[in-house]
Amino acid sequence: MGRKRRLGKLGELQLAILQVLWEHGPCSVADIHRRLRGRKLAYTTVATMLRKMEARGLVHHTVEDRRFIYHAAVDAEQARRSAVQDLVRRYFQGDVTAAVCNLLDIADVTPEELKELEELIARYRRRSSQESEDESGA
């Protein structure tokens, strides 16, 4: 899968709405409002946020029985990638090593997770070597 467009920064409510849509699929404003009930939001707040999110290309809607049914226009992986890219760019000036070191310093990383990370690095190293060979025509 190629690189996706940057989504920009997602607010807490925007992310919560997208999580509802990712988990439950297309929903009406009432469905989303009900699923966010722990947040004590007005129905109109949810409707307004959905309109703003649609303007940003984060959601789109269809009309069924005179109700707007909202659909996520971005997937969870795309949102995660965008958030991590933003974090690395803003807080670590693009330094991936510093970002990973910081995560390792603050997280309780298990030996199993370290092994998985080592395997991921090895896989990326092999892929990078293969791409270099392909570019050089070898």
Side-chain angles (χ1 to χ4, degrees):
M1 179 183 274
R3 293 192 182 221
K4 302 268 184 167
R5 68 182 172 91
R6 286 171 75 150
L7 303 178
K9 199 170 168 182
L10 293 177
E12 189 177 325
L13 179 55
Q14 292 172 330
L15 182 57
I17 289 170
L18 284 171
Q19 287 170 329
V20 167
L21 295 173
W22 294 329
E23 183 176 339
H24 300 283
C27 293
S28 68
V29 178
D31 293 335
I32 294 167
H33 181 253
R34 186 176 61 256
R35 289 189 168 105
L36 296 173
R37 68 180 162 259
R39 293 176 169 267
K40 297 183 178 163
L41 297 165
Y43 177 92
T44 54
T45 300
V46 174
T48 298
M49 182 56 70
L50 283 161
R51 282 193 302 277
K52 289 178 179 182
M53 291 172 70
E54 188 163 27
R56 283 187 58 195
L58 299 171
V59 299
H60 63 89
H61 75 271
T62 55
V63 179
E64 293 178 15
D65 299 324
R66 298 181 1 183
R67 295 182 316 154
F68 280 22
I69 304 298
Y70 284 90
H71 309 253
V74 296
D75 62 31
E77 180 62 23
Q78 185 179 1
R80 278 192 295 270
R81 283 179 183 265
S82 181
V84 170
Q85 286 172 339
D86 184 59
L87 174 93
V88 171
R89 182 183 56 78
R90 292 176 61 221
Y91 288 91
F92 298 97
Q93 293 74 45
D95 187 342
V96 173
T97 302
V100 171
C101 286
N102 194 276
L103 285 171
L104 291 172
D105 284 345
I106 64 170
D108 293 326
V109 182
T110 66
E112 294 80 19
E113 289 171 323
L114 283 173
K115 183 173 174 30
E116 188 176 343
L117 288 168
E118 290 168 347
E119 291 168 0
L120 282 168
I121 290 168
R123 187 169 46 224
Y124 278 89
R125 186 174 283 133
R126 284 190 301 274
R127 187 173 79 187
S128 179
S129 294
Q130 182 63 45
E131 288 173 357
S132 295
E133 289 176 13
D134 291 346
E135 288 175 3
S136 68

PDB file of all heavy atoms in Angstrom, residues 102-135:
ATOM      1  N   ASN A 102      12.561   7.073  22.567  1.00  0.00           N
ATOM      2  CA  ASN A 102      11.673   7.631  23.580  1.00  0.00           C
ATOM      3  C   ASN A 102      10.577   6.636  23.939  1.00  0.00           C
ATOM      4  O   ASN A 102      10.261   6.445  25.113  1.00  0.00           O
ATOM      5  CB  ASN A 102      11.090   8.959  23.093  1.00  0.00           C
ATOM      6  CG  ASN A 102      10.457   9.741  24.193  1.00  0.00           C
ATOM      7  OD1 ASN A 102       9.296   9.511  24.530  1.00  0.00           O
ATOM      8  ND2 ASN A 102      11.217  10.663  24.763  1.00  0.00           N
ATOM      9  N   LEU A 103       9.995   6.000  22.939  1.00  0.00           N
ATOM     10  CA  LEU A 103       8.961   4.993  23.197  1.00  0.00           C
ATOM     11  C   LEU A 103       9.515   3.828  24.017  1.00  0.00           C
ATOM     12  O   LEU A 103       8.873   3.353  24.959  1.00  0.00           O
ATOM     13  CB  LEU A 103       8.380   4.466  21.882  1.00  0.00           C
ATOM     14  CG  LEU A 103       7.424   5.391  21.153  1.00  0.00           C
ATOM     15  CD1 LEU A 103       7.110   4.842  19.761  1.00  0.00           C
ATOM     16  CD2 LEU A 103       6.157   5.594  21.947  1.00  0.00           C
ATOM     17  N   LEU A 104      10.713   3.384  23.676  1.00  0.00           N
ATOM     18  CA  LEU A 104      11.314   2.283  24.420  1.00  0.00           C
ATOM     19  C   LEU A 104      11.626   2.689  25.853  1.00  0.00           C
ATOM     20  O   LEU A 104      11.516   1.874  26.776  1.00  0.00           O
ATOM     21  CB  LEU A 104      12.580   1.784  23.722  1.00  0.00           C
ATOM     22  CG  LEU A 104      12.351   1.067  22.385  1.00  0.00           C
ATOM     23  CD1 LEU A 104      13.683   0.795  21.699  1.00  0.00           C
ATOM     24  CD2 LEU A 104      11.563  -0.209  22.576  1.00  0.00           C
ATOM     25  N   ASP A 105      12.002   3.958  26.063  1.00  0.00           N
ATOM     26  CA  ASP A 105      12.309   4.449  27.411  1.00  0.00           C
ATOM     27  C   ASP A 105      11.071   4.519  28.297  1.00  0.00           C
ATOM     28  O   ASP A 105      11.148   4.265  29.495  1.00  0.00           O
ATOM     29  CB  ASP A 105      12.948   5.843  27.349  1.00  0.00           C
ATOM     30  CG  ASP A 105      14.400   5.817  26.908  1.00  0.00           C
ATOM     31  OD1 ASP A 105      15.012   4.733  26.925  1.00  0.00           O
ATOM     32  OD2 ASP A 105      14.913   6.890  26.544  1.00  0.00           O
ATOM     33  N   ILE A 106       9.927   4.876  27.725  1.00  0.00           N
ATOM     34  CA  ILE A 106       8.742   5.110  28.559  1.00  0.00           C
ATOM     35  C   ILE A 106       7.796   3.913  28.628  1.00  0.00           C
ATOM     36  O   ILE A 106       6.950   3.856  29.509  1.00  0.00           O
ATOM     37  CB  ILE A 106       7.952   6.356  28.086  1.00  0.00           C
ATOM     38  CG1 ILE A 106       7.400   6.158  26.683  1.00  0.00           C
ATOM     39  CG2 ILE A 106       8.798   7.604  28.192  1.00  0.00           C
ATOM     40  CD1 ILE A 106       6.418   7.220  26.253  1.00  0.00           C
ATOM     41  N   ALA A 107       7.954   2.960  27.738  1.00  0.00           N
ATOM     42  CA  ALA A 107       7.041   1.809  27.695  1.00  0.00           C
ATOM     43  C   ALA A 107       7.635   0.626  28.447  1.00  0.00           C
ATOM     44  O   ALA A 107       8.851   0.480  28.545  1.00  0.00           O
ATOM     45  CB  ALA A 107       6.766   1.424  26.244  1.00  0.00           C
ATOM     46  N   ASP A 108       6.764  -0.186  28.981  1.00  0.00           N
ATOM     47  CA  ASP A 108       7.188  -1.450  29.580  1.00  0.00           C
ATOM     48  C   ASP A 108       7.226  -2.486  28.467  1.00  0.00           C
ATOM     49  O   ASP A 108       6.242  -3.172  28.198  1.00  0.00           O
ATOM     50  CB  ASP A 108       6.210  -1.883  30.676  1.00  0.00           C
ATOM     51  CG  ASP A 108       6.220  -0.954  31.876  1.00  0.00           C
ATOM     52  OD1 ASP A 108       7.302  -0.414  32.193  1.00  0.00           O
ATOM     53  OD2 ASP A 108       5.153  -0.761  32.488  1.00  0.00           O
ATOM     54  N   VAL A 109       8.370  -2.572  27.794  1.00  0.00           N
ATOM     55  CA  VAL A 109       8.515  -3.454  26.643  1.00  0.00           C
ATOM     56  C   VAL A 109       8.911  -4.837  27.130  1.00  0.00           C
ATOM     57  O   VAL A 109       9.888  -4.996  27.859  1.00  0.00           O
ATOM     58  CB  VAL A 109       9.572  -2.897  25.657  1.00  0.00           C
ATOM     59  CG1 VAL A 109       9.682  -3.787  24.429  1.00  0.00           C
ATOM     60  CG2 VAL A 109       9.247  -1.474  25.260  1.00  0.00           C
ATOM     61  N   THR A 110       8.140  -5.831  26.733  1.00  0.00           N
ATOM     62  CA  THR A 110       8.412  -7.206  27.139  1.00  0.00           C
ATOM     63  C   THR A 110       9.502  -7.804  26.250  1.00  0.00           C
ATOM     64  O   THR A 110       9.744  -7.320  25.127  1.00  0.00           O
ATOM     65  CB  THR A 110       7.145  -8.075  27.011  1.00  0.00           C
ATOM     66  OG1 THR A 110       6.806  -8.176  25.618  1.00  0.00           O
ATOM     67  CG2 THR A 110       5.984  -7.498  27.811  1.00  0.00           C
ATOM     68  N   PRO A 111      10.147  -8.863  26.715  1.00  0.00           N
ATOM     69  CA  PRO A 111      11.133  -9.549  25.860  1.00  0.00           C
ATOM     70  C   PRO A 111      10.524 -10.016  24.535  1.00  0.00           C
ATOM     71  O   PRO A 111      11.174  -9.963  23.498  1.00  0.00           O
ATOM     72  CB  PRO A 111      11.584 -10.742  26.724  1.00  0.00           C
ATOM     73  CG  PRO A 111      11.371 -10.283  28.135  1.00  0.00           C
ATOM     74  CD  PRO A 111      10.126  -9.419  28.076  1.00  0.00           C
ATOM     75  N   GLU A 112       9.247 -10.421  24.568  1.00  0.00           N
ATOM     76  CA  GLU A 112       8.579 -10.854  23.336  1.00  0.00           C
ATOM     77  C   GLU A 112       8.423  -9.692  22.361  1.00  0.00           C
ATOM     78  O   GLU A 112       8.608  -9.852  21.150  1.00  0.00           O
ATOM     79  CB  GLU A 112       7.207 -11.464  23.651  1.00  0.00           C
ATOM     80  CG  GLU A 112       7.251 -12.748  24.443  1.00  0.00           C
ATOM     81  CD  GLU A 112       7.460 -12.549  25.947  1.00  0.00           C
ATOM     82  OE1 GLU A 112       7.221 -11.425  26.463  1.00  0.00           O
ATOM     83  OE2 GLU A 112       7.893 -13.504  26.608  1.00  0.00           O
ATOM     84  N   GLU A 113       8.078  -8.528  22.901  1.00  0.00           N
ATOM     85  CA  GLU A 113       7.939  -7.346  22.042  1.00  0.00           C
ATOM     86  C   GLU A 113       9.289  -6.924  21.470  1.00  0.00           C
ATOM     87  O   GLU A 113       9.372  -6.538  20.292  1.00  0.00           O
ATOM     88  CB  GLU A 113       7.310  -6.198  22.827  1.00  0.00           C
ATOM     89  CG  GLU A 113       5.845  -6.425  23.134  1.00  0.00           C
ATOM     90  CD  GLU A 113       5.269  -5.403  24.099  1.00  0.00           C
ATOM     91  OE1 GLU A 113       5.978  -4.974  25.042  1.00  0.00           O
ATOM     92  OE2 GLU A 113       4.094  -5.032  23.903  1.00  0.00           O
ATOM     93  N   LEU A 114      10.347  -7.003  22.273  1.00  0.00           N
ATOM     94  CA  LEU A 114      11.681  -6.679  21.762  1.00  0.00           C
ATOM     95  C   LEU A 114      12.077  -7.627  20.632  1.00  0.00           C
ATOM     96  O   LEU A 114      12.626  -7.193  19.620  1.00  0.00           O
ATOM     97  CB  LEU A 114      12.721  -6.741  22.887  1.00  0.00           C
ATOM     98  CG  LEU A 114      12.734  -5.561  23.836  1.00  0.00           C
ATOM     99  CD1 LEU A 114      13.690  -5.829  24.999  1.00  0.00           C
ATOM    100  CD2 LEU A 114      13.095  -4.276  23.125  1.00  0.00           C
ATOM    101  N   LYS A 115      11.773  -8.913  20.799  1.00  0.00           N
ATOM    102  CA  LYS A 115      12.069  -9.884  19.734  1.00  0.00           C
ATOM    103  C   LYS A 115      11.285  -9.541  18.467  1.00  0.00           C
ATOM    104  O   LYS A 115      11.823  -9.568  17.364  1.00  0.00           O
ATOM    105  CB  LYS A 115      11.730 -11.298  20.219  1.00  0.00           C
ATOM    106  CG  LYS A 115      12.058 -12.392  19.211  1.00  0.00           C
ATOM    107  CD  LYS A 115      11.841 -13.756  19.836  1.00  0.00           C
ATOM    108  CE  LYS A 115      11.997 -14.918  18.913  1.00  0.00           C
ATOM    109  NZ  LYS A 115      12.885 -14.835  17.826  1.00  0.00           N
ATOM    110  N   GLU A 116      10.017  -9.183  18.636  1.00  0.00           N
ATOM    111  CA  GLU A 116       9.200  -8.806  17.483  1.00  0.00           C
ATOM    112  C   GLU A 116       9.761  -7.554  16.809  1.00  0.00           C
ATOM    113  O   GLU A 116       9.812  -7.469  15.577  1.00  0.00           O
ATOM    114  CB  GLU A 116       7.761  -8.569  17.931  1.00  0.00           C
ATOM    115  CG  GLU A 116       6.803  -8.359  16.780  1.00  0.00           C
ATOM    116  CD  GLU A 116       5.358  -8.225  17.236  1.00  0.00           C
ATOM    117  OE1 GLU A 116       5.037  -8.596  18.385  1.00  0.00           O
ATOM    118  OE2 GLU A 116       4.545  -7.742  16.433  1.00  0.00           O
ATOM    119  N   LEU A 117      10.202  -6.585  17.597  1.00  0.00           N
ATOM    120  CA  LEU A 117      10.807  -5.373  17.028  1.00  0.00           C
ATOM    121  C   LEU A 117      12.079  -5.696  16.259  1.00  0.00           C
ATOM    122  O   LEU A 117      12.316  -5.159  15.173  1.00  0.00           O
ATOM    123  CB  LEU A 117      11.095  -4.352  18.131  1.00  0.00           C
ATOM    124  CG  LEU A 117       9.881  -3.661  18.732  1.00  0.00           C
ATOM    125  CD1 LEU A 117      10.263  -2.898  20.004  1.00  0.00           C
ATOM    126  CD2 LEU A 117       9.234  -2.733  17.713  1.00  0.00           C
ATOM    127  N   GLU A 118      12.899  -6.581  16.815  1.00  0.00           N
ATOM    128  CA  GLU A 118      14.118  -6.991  16.120  1.00  0.00           C
ATOM    129  C   GLU A 118      13.792  -7.649  14.785  1.00  0.00           C
ATOM    130  O   GLU A 118      14.457  -7.397  13.778  1.00  0.00           O
ATOM    131  CB  GLU A 118      14.934  -7.947  17.004  1.00  0.00           C
ATOM    132  CG  GLU A 118      15.562  -7.260  18.194  1.00  0.00           C
ATOM    133  CD  GLU A 118      16.116  -8.228  19.231  1.00  0.00           C
ATOM    134  OE1 GLU A 118      15.805  -9.458  19.172  1.00  0.00           O
ATOM    135  OE2 GLU A 118      16.847  -7.759  20.116  1.00  0.00           O
ATOM    136  N   GLU A 119      12.759  -8.479  14.771  1.00  0.00           N
ATOM    137  CA  GLU A 119      12.347  -9.146  13.529  1.00  0.00           C
ATOM    138  C   GLU A 119      11.818  -8.131  12.516  1.00  0.00           C
ATOM    139  O   GLU A 119      12.090  -8.245  11.315  1.00  0.00           O
ATOM    140  CB  GLU A 119      11.309 -10.223  13.826  1.00  0.00           C
ATOM    141  CG  GLU A 119      11.887 -11.412  14.578  1.00  0.00           C
ATOM    142  CD  GLU A 119      10.837 -12.364  15.132  1.00  0.00           C
ATOM    143  OE1 GLU A 119       9.615 -12.123  14.942  1.00  0.00           O
ATOM    144  OE2 GLU A 119      11.245 -13.362  15.761  1.00  0.00           O
ATOM    145  N   LEU A 120      11.077  -7.152  13.000  1.00  0.00           N
ATOM    146  CA  LEU A 120      10.579  -6.092  12.108  1.00  0.00           C
ATOM    147  C   LEU A 120      11.731  -5.307  11.500  1.00  0.00           C
ATOM    148  O   LEU A 120      11.741  -5.019  10.300  1.00  0.00           O
ATOM    149  CB  LEU A 120       9.649  -5.141  12.862  1.00  0.00           C
ATOM    150  CG  LEU A 120       8.243  -5.622  13.120  1.00  0.00           C
ATOM    151  CD1 LEU A 120       7.543  -4.714  14.122  1.00  0.00           C
ATOM    152  CD2 LEU A 120       7.459  -5.683  11.825  1.00  0.00           C
ATOM    153  N   ILE A 121      12.713  -4.954  12.325  1.00  0.00           N
ATOM    154  CA  ILE A 121      13.875  -4.212  11.821  1.00  0.00           C
ATOM    155  C   ILE A 121      14.610  -5.039  10.787  1.00  0.00           C
ATOM    156  O   ILE A 121      14.992  -4.519   9.722  1.00  0.00           O
ATOM    157  CB  ILE A 121      14.796  -3.795  12.986  1.00  0.00           C
ATOM    158  CG1 ILE A 121      14.105  -2.702  13.817  1.00  0.00           C
ATOM    159  CG2 ILE A 121      16.146  -3.313  12.464  1.00  0.00           C
ATOM    160  CD1 ILE A 121      14.783  -2.406  15.142  1.00  0.00           C
ATOM    161  N   ALA A 122      14.793  -6.329  11.053  1.00  0.00           N
ATOM    162  CA  ALA A 122      15.464  -7.202  10.089  1.00  0.00           C
ATOM    163  C   ALA A 122      14.687  -7.260   8.777  1.00  0.00           C
ATOM    164  O   ALA A 122      15.270  -7.206   7.685  1.00  0.00           O
ATOM    165  CB  ALA A 122      15.647  -8.606  10.676  1.00  0.00           C
ATOM    166  N   ARG A 123      13.355  -7.351   8.872  1.00  0.00           N
ATOM    167  CA  ARG A 123      12.527  -7.396   7.668  1.00  0.00           C
ATOM    168  C   ARG A 123      12.636  -6.090   6.880  1.00  0.00           C
ATOM    169  O   ARG A 123      12.779  -6.093   5.662  1.00  0.00           O
ATOM    170  CB  ARG A 123      11.075  -7.689   8.041  1.00  0.00           C
ATOM    171  CG  ARG A 123      10.201  -7.914   6.823  1.00  0.00           C
ATOM    172  CD  ARG A 123       8.822  -8.455   7.140  1.00  0.00           C
ATOM    173  NE  ARG A 123       8.178  -7.752   8.229  1.00  0.00           N
ATOM    174  CZ  ARG A 123       7.518  -8.339   9.227  1.00  0.00           C
ATOM    175  NH1 ARG A 123       7.413  -9.644   9.283  1.00  0.00           N
ATOM    176  NH2 ARG A 123       6.942  -7.622  10.162  1.00  0.00           N
ATOM    177  N   TYR A 124      12.602  -4.951   7.577  1.00  0.00           N
ATOM    178  CA  TYR A 124      12.738  -3.659   6.896  1.00  0.00           C
ATOM    179  C   TYR A 124      14.130  -3.507   6.293  1.00  0.00           C
ATOM    180  O   TYR A 124      14.285  -2.950   5.205  1.00  0.00           O
ATOM    181  CB  TYR A 124      12.420  -2.508   7.847  1.00  0.00           C
ATOM    182  CG  TYR A 124      10.943  -2.248   7.975  1.00  0.00           C
ATOM    183  CD1 TYR A 124      10.182  -2.900   8.938  1.00  0.00           C
ATOM    184  CD2 TYR A 124      10.293  -1.373   7.105  1.00  0.00           C
ATOM    185  CE1 TYR A 124       8.816  -2.680   9.051  1.00  0.00           C
ATOM    186  CE2 TYR A 124       8.937  -1.147   7.205  1.00  0.00           C
ATOM    187  CZ  TYR A 124       8.200  -1.806   8.181  1.00  0.00           C
ATOM    188  OH  TYR A 124       6.855  -1.586   8.280  1.00  0.00           O
ATOM    189  N   ARG A 125      15.144  -4.015   6.974  1.00  0.00           N
ATOM    190  CA  ARG A 125      16.509  -3.945   6.454  1.00  0.00           C
ATOM    191  C   ARG A 125      16.610  -4.749   5.155  1.00  0.00           C
ATOM    192  O   ARG A 125      17.183  -4.287   4.171  1.00  0.00           O
ATOM    193  CB  ARG A 125      17.487  -4.464   7.511  1.00  0.00           C
ATOM    194  CG  ARG A 125      18.937  -4.300   7.103  1.00  0.00           C
ATOM    195  CD  ARG A 125      19.886  -4.677   8.234  1.00  0.00           C
ATOM    196  NE  ARG A 125      19.899  -3.572   9.191  1.00  0.00           N
ATOM    197  CZ  ARG A 125      19.788  -3.708  10.507  1.00  0.00           C
ATOM    198  NH1 ARG A 125      19.648  -4.908  11.046  1.00  0.00           N
ATOM    199  NH2 ARG A 125      19.819  -2.664  11.295  1.00  0.00           N
ATOM    200  N   ARG A 126      16.022  -5.966   5.151  1.00  0.00           N
ATOM    201  CA  ARG A 126      16.038  -6.794   3.933  1.00  0.00           C
ATOM    202  C   ARG A 126      15.291  -6.102   2.800  1.00  0.00           C
ATOM    203  O   ARG A 126      15.736  -6.095   1.653  1.00  0.00           O
ATOM    204  CB  ARG A 126      15.422  -8.171   4.211  1.00  0.00           C
ATOM    205  CG  ARG A 126      16.321  -9.109   4.984  1.00  0.00           C
ATOM    206  CD  ARG A 126      15.780 -10.532   5.022  1.00  0.00           C
ATOM    207  NE  ARG A 126      14.461 -10.643   5.621  1.00  0.00           N
ATOM    208  CZ  ARG A 126      14.210 -10.782   6.918  1.00  0.00           C
ATOM    209  NH1 ARG A 126      15.210 -10.821   7.780  1.00  0.00           N
ATOM    210  NH2 ARG A 126      12.981 -10.883   7.362  1.00  0.00           N
ATOM    211  N   ARG A 127      14.131  -5.526   3.130  1.00  0.00           N
ATOM    212  CA  ARG A 127      13.333  -4.839   2.107  1.00  0.00           C
ATOM    213  C   ARG A 127      14.091  -3.641   1.547  1.00  0.00           C
ATOM    214  O   ARG A 127      14.109  -3.424   0.331  1.00  0.00           O
ATOM    215  CB  ARG A 127      12.001  -4.394   2.699  1.00  0.00           C
ATOM    216  CG  ARG A 127      11.062  -3.829   1.651  1.00  0.00           C
ATOM    217  CD  ARG A 127       9.707  -3.550   2.199  1.00  0.00           C
ATOM    218  NE  ARG A 127       9.736  -2.305   2.932  1.00  0.00           N
ATOM    219  CZ  ARG A 127       8.746  -1.807   3.653  1.00  0.00           C
ATOM    220  NH1 ARG A 127       7.630  -2.481   3.775  1.00  0.00           N
ATOM    221  NH2 ARG A 127       8.850  -0.673   4.275  1.00  0.00           N
ATOM    222  N   SER A 128      14.749  -2.900   2.411  1.00  0.00           N
ATOM    223  CA  SER A 128      15.517  -1.733   1.977  1.00  0.00           C
ATOM    224  C   SER A 128      16.681  -2.155   1.077  1.00  0.00           C
ATOM    225  O   SER A 128      16.954  -1.525   0.059  1.00  0.00           O
ATOM    226  CB  SER A 128      16.036  -0.972   3.190  1.00  0.00           C
ATOM    227  OG  SER A 128      16.799   0.134   2.792  1.00  0.00           O
ATOM    228  N   SER A 129      17.348  -3.250   1.450  1.00  0.00           N
ATOM    229  CA  SER A 129      18.448  -3.759   0.632  1.00  0.00           C
ATOM    230  C   SER A 129      17.948  -4.196  -0.734  1.00  0.00           C
ATOM    231  O   SER A 129      18.583  -3.920  -1.757  1.00  0.00           O
ATOM    232  CB  SER A 129      19.130  -4.948   1.319  1.00  0.00           C
ATOM    233  OG  SER A 129      19.763  -4.536   2.492  1.00  0.00           O
ATOM    234  N   GLN A 130      16.796  -4.873  -0.751  1.00  0.00           N
ATOM    235  CA  GLN A 130      16.217  -5.328  -2.013  1.00  0.00           C
ATOM    236  C   GLN A 130      15.843  -4.144  -2.903  1.00  0.00           C
ATOM    237  O   GLN A 130      16.102  -4.156  -4.100  1.00  0.00           O
ATOM    238  CB  GLN A 130      14.986  -6.202  -1.754  1.00  0.00           C
ATOM    239  CG  GLN A 130      14.352  -6.762  -3.010  1.00  0.00           C
ATOM    240  CD  GLN A 130      15.285  -7.681  -3.767  1.00  0.00           C
ATOM    241  OE1 GLN A 130      15.947  -8.532  -3.183  1.00  0.00           O
ATOM    242  NE2 GLN A 130      15.363  -7.511  -5.066  1.00  0.00           N
ATOM    243  N   GLU A 131      15.253  -3.106  -2.305  1.00  0.00           N
ATOM    244  CA  GLU A 131      14.866  -1.915  -3.079  1.00  0.00           C
ATOM    245  C   GLU A 131      16.108  -1.226  -3.644  1.00  0.00           C
ATOM    246  O   GLU A 131      16.089  -0.753  -4.773  1.00  0.00           O
ATOM    247  CB  GLU A 131      14.077  -0.944  -2.198  1.00  0.00           C
ATOM    248  CG  GLU A 131      12.673  -1.450  -1.897  1.00  0.00           C
ATOM    249  CD  GLU A 131      11.936  -0.590  -0.880  1.00  0.00           C
ATOM    250  OE1 GLU A 131      12.526   0.374  -0.349  1.00  0.00           O
ATOM    251  OE2 GLU A 131      10.760  -0.895  -0.602  1.00  0.00           O
ATOM    252  N   SER A 132      17.200  -1.186  -2.866  1.00  0.00           N
ATOM    253  CA  SER A 132      18.451  -0.585  -3.349  1.00  0.00           C
ATOM    254  C   SER A 132      19.009  -1.356  -4.531  1.00  0.00           C
ATOM    255  O   SER A 132      19.479  -0.786  -5.504  1.00  0.00           O
ATOM    256  CB  SER A 132      19.497  -0.531  -2.231  1.00  0.00           C
ATOM    257  OG  SER A 132      19.065   0.343  -1.213  1.00  0.00           O
ATOM    258  N   GLU A 133      18.945  -2.696  -4.430  1.00  0.00           N
ATOM    259  CA  GLU A 133      19.412  -3.530  -5.535  1.00  0.00           C
ATOM    260  C   GLU A 133      18.565  -3.335  -6.770  1.00  0.00           C
ATOM    261  O   GLU A 133      19.083  -3.248  -7.887  1.00  0.00           O
ATOM    262  CB  GLU A 133      19.390  -5.011  -5.126  1.00  0.00           C
ATOM    263  CG  GLU A 133      20.446  -5.383  -4.132  1.00  0.00           C
ATOM    264  CD  GLU A 133      20.330  -6.827  -3.671  1.00  0.00           C
ATOM    265  OE1 GLU A 133      19.581  -7.596  -4.299  1.00  0.00           O
ATOM    266  OE2 GLU A 133      20.993  -7.170  -2.676  1.00  0.00           O
ATOM    267  N   ASP A 134      17.255  -3.244  -6.589  1.00  0.00           N
ATOM    268  CA  ASP A 134      16.338  -3.042  -7.712  1.00  0.00           C
ATOM    269  C   ASP A 134      16.602  -1.700  -8.398  1.00  0.00           C
ATOM    270  O   ASP A 134      16.567  -1.608  -9.625  1.00  0.00           O
ATOM    271  CB  ASP A 134      14.883  -3.112  -7.261  1.00  0.00           C
ATOM    272  CG  ASP A 134      14.468  -4.512  -6.832  1.00  0.00           C
ATOM    273  OD1 ASP A 134      15.207  -5.473  -7.117  1.00  0.00           O
ATOM    274  OD2 ASP A 134      13.390  -4.628  -6.188  1.00  0.00           O
ATOM    275  N   GLU A 135      16.871  -0.664  -7.611  1.00  0.00           N
ATOM    276  CA  GLU A 135      17.121   0.666  -8.170  1.00  0.00           C
ATOM    277  C   GLU A 135      18.445   0.721  -8.926  1.00  0.00           C
ATOM    278  O   GLU A 135      18.578   1.449  -9.902  1.00  0.00           O
ATOM    279  CB  GLU A 135      17.122   1.730  -7.062  1.00  0.00           C
ATOM    280  CG  GLU A 135      15.730   1.999  -6.529  1.00  0.00           C
ATOM    281  CD  GLU A 135      15.747   2.955  -5.341  1.00  0.00           C
ATOM    282  OE1 GLU A 135      16.835   3.455  -4.971  1.00  0.00           O
ATOM    283  OE2 GLU A 135      14.666   3.194  -4.782  1.00  0.00           O
TER     284      GLU A 135
END
